Amino acid sequence: MFTKRRLIRVFAVAFLAAAPAWAQVSICEDGYTTPPETTGRTKKEFDRDALRERLMKYIAIEQKHRLTGLASYYSASLDGTLTANGEIYRNERHSAAHLTLPLGCWVEVKSRATGKKIRLRVNDRGPYGKKFVIDLSRAAAQALGVDVAKDRMVLIRIIALPGEDPLPEELLAGPEGPAGEEAGW
């Protein structure tokens, strides 16, 4: 029977022991690995493809969560309290609360009224009011303009899961693909 700690250790060892993915583009039956120079794909092309794969994974995850709706923001009285992941909430930092997204994931939030976008990390649970989809820190709400806008409707998309670096903005800004303008961004 595998315990959670043992499974993590097994995956960590397997990950560290694995050769870089770009070096294993094509493997023959006898174990010979074709170098990346002869496959026609450069490391930069491979990295771009890996980022696109991450984006597609995020889109699949987004379908399971409520990511469009009204935004609320934290009360000033909550400054200095603990968040769900154990961090101390600060009004002047950009952070958010969501009921179902994984704690530690990065999201990009866009205000429908102002058109402004901001990138922030989910570090708390909430909002618990049924009409709201995300709770923003005071600084994040001000940066988006939802603290004064009559329309608080926001669009949210995942740009990194816990432990990953956020996707580059140029990958998300392109008009082609599901991350482009036809998706509402």
Side-chain angles (χ1 to χ4, degrees), residues 27-147:
I27 299 177
C28 298
E29 290 178 4
D30 61 358
Y32 173 77
T33 302
T34 307
E37 302 85 54
T38 62
T39 63
R41 284 177 47 181
T42 65
K43 180 157 175 31
K44 184 176 180 180
E45 288 173 331
F46 184 84
D47 290 343
R48 188 177 48 232
D49 291 343
L51 289 174
R52 284 197 179 119
E53 286 177 24
R54 276 180 56 195
L55 180 62
M56 296 309 290
K57 178 175 68 171
Y58 299 158
I59 290 170
I61 292 170
E62 287 172 355
Q63 294 175 355
K64 299 174 186 172
H65 301 278
R66 185 173 159 220
L67 297 176
T68 301
L70 299 176
S72 61
Y73 55 92
Y74 284 85
S75 166
S77 66
L78 293 173
D79 193 37
T81 60
L82 285 178
T83 61
N85 70 351
E87 295 176 3
I88 296 176
Y89 167 72
R90 295 291 178 209
N91 283 330
E92 68 275 358
R93 294 190 186 147
H94 292 185
S95 62
H98 193 276
L99 281 175
T100 59
L101 286 174
L103 292 175
C105 76
W106 284 85
V107 293
E108 188 172 77
V109 182
K110 180 180 180 182
S111 169
R112 186 173 74 178
T114 63
K116 295 179 182 177
K117 288 190 245 179
I118 189 170
R119 294 170 154 229
L120 42 87
R121 199 166 50 88
V122 175
N123 67 349
D124 205 1
R125 291 290 174 222
Y128 295 103
K130 292 188 186 237
K131 68 179 185 176
F132 297 108
V133 69
I134 194 167
D135 242 345
L136 301 170
S137 66
R138 182 72 76 173
Q142 289 171 346
L144 282 174
V146 298
D147 60 335

